[in-house]
């Protein structure tokens, strides 16, 4: 049985009519772990944006249908927060001012180095996404931090010692934070098996985790959704 890990993915929309540039960007961003959609004209970009959730936008300026400035203004009416990077071959100061006026957060001039774009993307995401930003191998929620490399777990800067299974369970919950996971999801993803529905192994492990992660701290992160499963979120 194949089940997705339900990883928190950062989704980027590229609106760029030059297919070669759009495809190169998409390839590079996907390689860096982002999920990417491409629209080759402004109107299609707007349509995609209004029906899907994105975390960041990369907009070309000279676009058929609706130019990058118009598109940015229209998007800002729907969402004030989403980071927008304008991509353009024009480098005149006036164009940049027009871009910022339209609501862009940053600007990159073609031809550009992909690494430079990547740095700008990461900086903007760090600034705007208060919750989960994959910095290195760190999972975070509120004052809870889980380092997947060093296997260190901290809450409010206090180190918490977990067993291997507890660690895996917490990792799974955090990767699916703000989403209810059923006992069956947990069984398959953390224990690699289907459990007999009568067993309470998962509930027992959840209570171990609560004792270590929640008990001695102000607000509780691990919550039970009666009849459905568990969710980790800021209450
Ligand atoms: Ca263009």
């Amino acid at each position: 049985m194949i089940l997705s890990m339900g990883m928190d993915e950062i989704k980027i929309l590229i609106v760029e009519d030059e297919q070669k540039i759009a495809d190169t960007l998409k390839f590079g961003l996907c390689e860096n772990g982002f999920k990417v959609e491409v629209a080759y004209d402004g109107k299609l970009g707007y349509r995609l944006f209004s029906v899907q959730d994105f975390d960041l936008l990369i907009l070309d300026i000279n676009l058929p249908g609706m130019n990058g400035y118009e598109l940015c203004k229209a998007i800002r009416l729907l969402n004030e927060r989403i980071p927008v990077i304008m991509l353009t071959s024009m480098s005149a100061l006036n164009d940049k001012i027009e871009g910022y006026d339209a609501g862009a957060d940053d600007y990159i001039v073609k031809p550009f180095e992909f690494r430079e774009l990547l740095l700008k993307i990461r900086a903007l995401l760090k600034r705007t996404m208060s919750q989960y930003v994959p910095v290195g191998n760190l999972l975070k929620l509120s004052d809870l931090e889980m380092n997947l490399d060093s296997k260190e777990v901290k809450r409010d800067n206090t180190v918490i010692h977990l067993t291997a299974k507890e660690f895996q369970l917490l990792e799974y919950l955090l990767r699916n934070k703000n989403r209810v996971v059923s006992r069956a999801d947990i069984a398959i993803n953390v224990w690699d098996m289907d459990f007999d529905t009568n067993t309470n192994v998962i509930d027992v492990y959840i209570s171990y985790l609560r004792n270590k992660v929640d008990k001695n701290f102000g607000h509780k992160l691990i919550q039970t959704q009666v009849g459905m499963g568990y969710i980790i979120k800021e209450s």
Side-chain angles (χ1 to χ4, degrees):
M1 185 184 297
I2 298 168
L3 276 184
S4 93
M5 278 292 291
M7 265 244 273
D8 259 325
E9 273 171 324
I10 293 177
K11 215 169 150 193
I12 296 179
L13 173 62
I14 299 170
V15 188
E16 163 64 271
D17 59 319
E18 284 163 79
Q19 196 164 345
K20 214 178 136 192
I21 294 179
D23 293 349
T24 309
L25 273 179
K26 179 175 180 173
F27 180 79
L29 291 172
C30 289
E31 266 200 317
N32 280 277
F34 297 103
K35 201 156 177 256
V36 179
E37 295 276 346
V38 176
Y40 298 109
D41 76 72
K43 281 186 178 153
L44 179 62
Y46 184 76
R47 260 214 327 271
L48 267 180
F49 180 80
S50 47
V51 295
Q52 292 188 32
D53 280 331
F54 291 99
D55 302 297
L56 184 138
L57 305 178
I58 298 173
L59 309 181
D60 185 31
I61 289 177
N62 288 323
L63 288 168
M66 188 182 209
N67 75 36
Y69 301 132
E70 294 165 334
L71 179 56
C72 190
K73 279 183 193 159
I75 280 168
R76 279 285 174 249
L77 294 177
L78 299 179
N79 186 326
E80 290 180 353
R81 243 173 74 92
I82 188 162
V84 175
I85 297 175
M86 292 273 212
L87 200 64
T88 179
S89 45
M90 300 180 286
S91 55
L93 180 64
N94 281 346
D95 299 324
K96 288 190 183 175
I97 290 170
E98 194 169 351
Y100 290 125
D101 281 348
D105 296 286
D106 209 340
Y107 220 100
I108 197 157
V109 178
K110 294 187 240 180
F112 56 88
E113 285 236 19
F114 183 74
R115 276 182 313 176
E116 189 193 350
L117 177 65
L118 205 57
L119 286 176
K120 289 188 179 218
I121 289 173
R122 292 200 168 126
L124 280 173
L125 286 173
K126 215 182 267 183
R127 211 183 306 157
T128 52
M129 296 177 72
S130 53
Q131 292 188 310
Y132 175 63
V133 180
V135 180
N137 254 335
L138 206 61
L139 295 176
K140 276 182 87 163
L141 175 68
S142 180
D143 54 357
L144 175 66
E145 256 185 46
M146 184 169 206
N147 188 316
L148 302 179
D149 293 329
S150 65
K151 307 289 179 201
E152 193 176 60
V153 178
K154 282 190 204 164
R155 178 115 194 235
D156 197 16
N157 286 320
T158 306
V159 175
I160 296 170
H161 299 283
L162 299 181
T163 65
K165 215 61 200 176
E166 290 163 357
F167 189 93
Q168 284 174 36
L169 178 56
L170 184 60
E171 179 183 347
Y172 181 69
L173 290 174
L174 275 177
R175 286 193 187 280
N176 290 281
K177 68 171 191 184
N178 300 320
R179 183 186 309 171
V180 175
V181 290
S182 68
R183 286 177 181 77
D185 292 333
I186 295 174
I188 290 163
N189 287 284
V190 180
W191 272 268
D192 286 325
M193 58 189 283
D194 275 305
F195 276 126
D196 185 311
T197 44
N198 293 321
T199 179
N200 67 345
V201 166
I202 290 168
D203 307 86
V204 169
Y205 270 86
I206 289 280
S207 76
Y208 292 159
L209 262 190
R210 280 183 161 144
N211 273 329
K212 293 182 177 181
V213 170
D214 273 342
K215 196 179 165 195
N216 300 318
F217 299 90
H219 55 290
K220 311 300 174 208
L221 299 174
I222 302 169
Q223 289 155 42
T224 307
Q225 297 280 308
V226 177
M228 290 187 283
Y230 296 99
I231 182 169
I232 194 163
K233 62 175 184 179
E234 283 188 75
S235 42

